[in-house]
């Protein structure tokens, strides 16, 4: 039972303050499903307009997940009320995920209603929880509720429209939500939130984001394996499958083997943990998720057509997704450790060279080349870290 002095909040100084609960991991499974659905949306609509719509869906999915992660950083998921709140969000998340493949068609209203209900419902819930025990957070979540209510009107209105009008209104809704966060949810007459009041658990935030990345990488492997099992097996498809597997391992290595755990220690000791966590885990990790989705899409394209001409879609997904992953890791390490990983810049230079040659070689060759670049980055970065540790 929660202590009466803490309400539904995690008790400070207790071991459970940094613990990721099983209910949070259970919650994450729904959103990995949503990420997979987003990847399939991109696969079937990989035009410039389709990619833009797919990006809007990924931004919305991430925004729901990361705001819930912030909430469970403060609230204790081991309490019955918070656990039930997560389960309700899971049900709505299933509706959101199911609607994704046809979010810009017949399932637009289901997508919008689930999204708005999750954002406003969860925010109102913590508003009520924090009123007595954390008044500084209470004020911030009141501002947040106002912003979500404004954007919610655009989500619902957009869902009732069709075609380009829906896309425009949903774009405005997301622009309002992302801009309000960067403005610390400033509201006329109520001021803005102070990130110094966001007394978060750095280890919990780092572990939550890291676990989602692991599950997303693992899910991309499962999708790749499923695609390969249904493909015609020959040397080209087998090479594409092995390349996709090795690339995923290299992506894991670049992020987890070298810096993920140390980042939580840095954030925990920061004087402004809220600001650093907002930039690193709310924004930079969004880029990592988008990159993983793009690479998963590219793997599908390559497995479907490993030989022949490499189309612009495959180039954008494979080379662009890999480049975005390296850029996101550069930002992550620059913001947290104030370092400039040379290996990542070399990898970006090699990817730039590959862009020139990609249209002249088959897709499987482009996939193998990007995989080798990721492996070289992982090896070089590992050597640099080992040398630093030895000194």
């Amino acid at each position: 039972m929660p202590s009466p002095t803490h309400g539904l909040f995690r008790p400070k100084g207790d071991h459970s303050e940094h613990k990721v609960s099983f209910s949070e991991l259970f919650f994450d499974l729904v959103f990995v499903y949503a990420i997979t659905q987003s990847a399939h949306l991109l696969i079937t609509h990989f035009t410039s307009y389709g990619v833009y719509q797919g990006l809007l869906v990924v931004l919305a999915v991430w925004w729901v997940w990361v705001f819930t992660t912030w909430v469970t950083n403060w609230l204790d998921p081991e309490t019955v009320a918070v656990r039930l709140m997560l389960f309700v969000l899971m049900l709505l998340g299933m509706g959101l995920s199911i609607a994704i493949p046809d979010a810009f068609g017949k399932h637009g209203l289901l997508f919008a209603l689930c999204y708005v209900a999750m954002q406003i419902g969860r925010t109102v819930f913590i508003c009520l929880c924090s009123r007595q025990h954390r008044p500084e957070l209470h004020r911030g979540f009141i501002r947040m509720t106002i912003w979500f209510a404004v954007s919610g009107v655009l989500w619902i209105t957009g869902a009732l429209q069709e075609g380009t009008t829906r896309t425009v209104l949903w774009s405005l809704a997301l622009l309002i939500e992302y801009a309000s966060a960067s403005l610390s949810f400033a509201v006329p007459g109520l001021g803005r939130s102070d990130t110094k009041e966001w007394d978060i658990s750095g280890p919990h935030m780092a572990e939550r984001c890291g676990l989602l990345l692991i599950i997303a990488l693992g899910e991309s492997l499962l999708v790749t394996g499923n695609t390969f099992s249904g493909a015609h097996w020959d040397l080209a498809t087998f090479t594409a499958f092995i390349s996709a597997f090795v690339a995923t391992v290299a992506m894991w290595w670049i992020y987890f083997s070298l810096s993920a755990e140390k980042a939580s220690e840095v954030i925990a000791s920061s004087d402004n943990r809220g600001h650093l966590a907002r930039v690193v885990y709310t924004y930079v990790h969004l880029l990592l998720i988008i990159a993983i989705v793009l690479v998963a899409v590219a793997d599908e394209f390559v497995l479907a057509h490993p030989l022949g001409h490499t189309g612009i879609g495959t180039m954008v997904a494979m080379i662009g997704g890999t480049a975005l992953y390296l850029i996101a890791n550069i930002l992550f390490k620059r913001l947290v450790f104030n370092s400039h990983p040379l290996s990542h810049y070399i990898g970006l230079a090699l990817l730039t060279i590959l862009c020139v040659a990609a249209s002249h070689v088959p897709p499987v060759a482009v996939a193998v080349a990007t995989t080798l670049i990721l492996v070289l980055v992982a090896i070089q970065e590992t050597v640099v870290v080992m040398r630093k540790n030895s000194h």
Side-chain angles (χ1 to χ4, degrees):
M1 295 293 293
S3 165
T5 59
H6 296 107
L8 298 179
F9 283 80
R10 293 174 182 262
K12 290 295 179 183
D14 190 88
H15 71 90
S16 62
E17 179 185 356
H18 311 302
K19 179 183 177 183
V20 174
S21 68
F22 291 123
S23 54
E24 289 175 279
L25 296 176
F26 194 30
F27 171 82
D28 286 352
L29 294 179
V30 171
F31 282 84
V32 173
Y33 174 47
I35 291 170
T36 302
Q37 290 282 76
S38 302
H40 286 305
L41 175 65
L42 283 171
I43 290 168
T44 54
H45 300 88
F46 207 84
T47 62
S48 56
Y49 187 58
V51 168
Y52 178 76
Q53 290 182 321
L55 179 60
L56 290 181
V57 169
V58 174
L59 290 174
V61 168
W62 172 258
W63 216 230
V64 172
W65 182 86
V66 79
F67 269 72
T68 306
T69 296
W70 277 86
V71 167
T72 55
N73 191 277
W74 288 304
L75 296 181
D76 187 357
E78 297 301 325
T79 59
V80 173
V82 177
R83 185 175 293 171
L84 290 175
M85 182 268 293
L86 285 175
F87 292 161
V88 171
L89 291 179
M90 285 178 67
L91 177 60
L92 292 169
M94 285 296 295
L96 181 85
S97 302
I98 291 168
I100 285 175
D102 211 3
F104 292 92
K106 62 182 180 180
H107 292 155
L109 187 58
L110 174 62
F111 182 90
L113 287 174
C114 289
Y115 180 84
V116 172
M118 294 177 78
Q119 294 290 52
I120 294 180
R122 181 205 55 241
T123 311
V124 170
F125 180 84
I126 193 171
C127 268
L128 298 174
C129 295
S130 59
R131 182 176 182 179
Q132 178 180 353
H133 300 281
R134 300 290 294 275
E136 74 285 355
L137 290 180
H138 177 71
R139 293 188 294 270
F141 281 105
I142 287 178
R143 301 183 189 100
M144 206 176 295
T145 302
I146 293 172
W147 280 107
F148 279 133
V150 172
S151 66
V153 172
L154 292 173
W155 280 108
I156 303 300
T157 304
L160 297 175
Q161 307 301 314
E162 295 182 355
T164 305
T165 305
R166 179 180 299 179
T167 304
V168 170
L169 290 174
W170 283 5
S171 299
L172 290 174
L174 279 172
L175 179 62
I176 287 173
E177 292 181 12
Y178 276 77
S180 65
S182 65
L183 295 172
S184 299
F185 302 102
V187 174
L190 297 178
R192 64 173 61 201
S193 299
D194 185 354
T195 54
K196 292 182 179 179
E197 295 179 347
W198 300 355
D199 187 18
I200 67 159
S201 166
H204 175 269
M205 186 68 72
E207 187 175 353
R208 289 285 282 118
C209 290
L211 287 172
L212 183 70
L213 288 181
I214 286 178
I215 299 173
L217 287 169
E219 182 67 15
S220 69
L221 280 179
L222 294 178
V223 172
T224 299
N226 186 57
T227 303
F228 176 67
S229 68
H232 173 67
W233 290 7
D234 54 24
L235 180 60
T237 54
F238 182 75
T239 302
F241 170 71
I242 295 299
S243 174
F245 175 80
V246 174
T248 304
V249 172
M251 291 169 73
W252 179 92
W253 194 283
I254 291 169
Y255 178 85
F256 289 99
S257 179
L258 306 173
S259 55
E261 186 173 347
K262 292 181 180 179
S264 66
E265 300 172 2
V266 173
I267 291 177
S269 61
S270 172
D271 293 332
N272 195 343
R273 284 175 284 181
H275 172 72
L276 186 57
R278 181 179 69 176
V279 175
V280 172
Y281 291 112
T282 302
Y283 296 112
V284 174
H285 278 66
L286 166 62
L287 300 180
L288 291 170
I289 289 293
I290 294 174
I292 291 172
V293 170
L294 283 174
V295 173
V297 169
D299 290 338
E300 291 272 331
F301 289 161
V302 174
L303 280 167
H305 303 285
L307 300 176
H309 176 71
T310 301
I312 186 66
T314 302
M315 289 176 58
V316 169
M318 180 63 71
I319 300 176
T322 304
L324 181 60
Y325 190 78
L326 293 179
I327 291 171
N329 273 278
I330 288 172
L331 292 173
F332 177 55
K333 293 165 186 177
R334 173 68 180 86
L335 291 167
V336 177
F337 305 110
N338 196 29
S339 65
H340 296 276
L342 178 61
S343 61
H344 296 38
Y345 291 106
I346 293 174
L348 289 174
L350 292 174
L351 287 172
T352 303
I353 296 172
L354 181 59
C355 285
V356 179
S359 61
H360 303 289
V361 296
V364 67
V366 177
V368 170
T370 54
T371 297
L372 288 175
I373 291 171
L374 284 170
V375 170
L376 287 174
V377 170
I379 292 174
Q380 185 177 355
E381 188 73 358
T382 302
V383 171
V384 170
V385 172
M386 289 177 63
R387 286 176 178 173
K388 287 182 179 179
N389 292 338
S390 65
H391 295 307

